Amino acid sequence: MRLVTVHSLALKLARLAVILVIIAGWEMASRTGLINPRLLPSASETLSMLLNLLGRAAVRKDLSVTAMEVLSAFALAVPFGGLIGFLIAENRYFADVVKPLLFFAFSIPKSIFLPMFILVFGVGFAQKVGFGFFSTIFIVIMSTTTAVESVRVEYLTVARSYAATPAQTAFRVYLPAMLPVLLEALRIAMIFNLTGVILAEMYASRDGIGHQIATWGENFQMPQLLAGVVIIAVIAISFNELIRWVETRCSHWRT
């Protein structure tokens, strides 16, 4: 156990060292003129701008708008996509008909459909939530189907032999057996979801952090642009680590 702890600590320190080297290289490249500082502001300048932006009420409002859009799209896509995925996995004929179509739809870049969402929903909350939902639901469906199919038949046979109700089978057999796969799928789904919402904000929107990033880029405000990218990265990493923490807490269900 002690060796495992030491190894884990060594890995964390190595990762931290890599991050520090990258930041130091970024700082030196900008400070020494190796890269034009107007194109790549230094890490310290970006950090200073980040703190400045977070102190602005308008930026905090845009962050709250983006958070509401992302959470709304995610809250719609996960249960709806999960239900469709469950039905596909439980019905062989339905799966044979729908699965190939899902793979075809998943392979198409979703960004080409964004103008259609703008035409249908206009430029506003519904358009961004709708596109985030559309960007997310396919990965949720496919992941749920895989998760349901990963449940061992022996578990279902035992549950049915004890006359378990459909609700008991769902919550006491399917959910524990599927959870590790589902949590991994949620991490991937949130990436698609966040990407879809930010893209919709950048393409056509009046508010949201994606709209701000697009505006900063158009006006060549590189410190603000990089600070906005850092904000999005921190949000994505934070959610990813939250799901990893939940996954660790539920790791006993893997057995």
Side-chain angles (χ1 to χ4, degrees), residues 74 139-140 143-144 179-190:
F74 198 67
I139 189 66
V140 175
S143 300
T144 304
L179 193 61
V181 179
L182 284 180
L183 288 175
E184 186 69 26
L186 287 179
R187 292 165 60 185
I188 300 172
M190 178 52 80

Side-chain angles (χ1 to χ4, degrees), residues 136-229:
T136 309
I137 191 168
F138 292 102
I139 189 66
V140 175
I141 293 173
M142 295 171 66
S143 300
T144 304
T145 302
T146 302
V148 174
E149 291 174 345
S150 70
V151 178
R152 295 175 60 178
V153 178
E154 294 86 347
Y155 296 162
L156 300 174
T157 302
V158 171
R160 289 163 184 160
S161 67
Y162 280 94
T165 64
Q168 289 173 328
T169 303
F171 287 101
R172 298 187 182 183
V173 179
Y174 274 113
L175 185 59
M178 293 165 51
L179 193 61
V181 179
L182 284 180
L183 288 175
E184 186 69 26
L186 287 179
R187 292 165 60 185
I188 300 172
M190 178 52 80
I191 295 173
F192 280 83
N193 182 39
L194 182 61
T195 302
V197 171
I198 295 296
L199 181 61
E201 288 183 342
M202 295 178 70
Y203 192 89
S205 179
R206 302 186 190 94
D207 49 18
I209 193 63
H211 168 69
Q212 285 287 4
I213 290 174
T215 302
W216 293 328
E218 291 169 359
N219 294 313
F220 205 65
Q221 296 173 287
M222 297 307 293
Q224 291 89 332
L225 175 62
L226 285 177
V229 171

Side-chain angles (χ1 to χ4, degrees), residues 65 228 246:
V65 169
V246 174

Side-chain angles (χ1 to χ4, degrees), residues 73-101:
F74 198 67
L76 291 171
V78 170
F80 192 68
L83 177 61
I84 295 175
F86 185 84
L87 293 175
I88 291 174
E90 286 293 284
N91 189 308
R92 180 59 62 84
Y93 178 76
F94 188 44
D96 291 340
V97 172
V98 175
K99 259 189 173 182
L101 301 178

Side-chain angles (χ1 to χ4, degrees), residues 1 5 21 34 69 93 110 116 119 143 167 170 227 239 250 253:
M1 180 64 71
T5 303
V21 167
L34 184 63
E69 292 164 352
Y93 178 76
K110 306 300 177 293
M116 297 173 58
L119 289 174
S143 300
F239 181 84
C250 300
W253 281 2

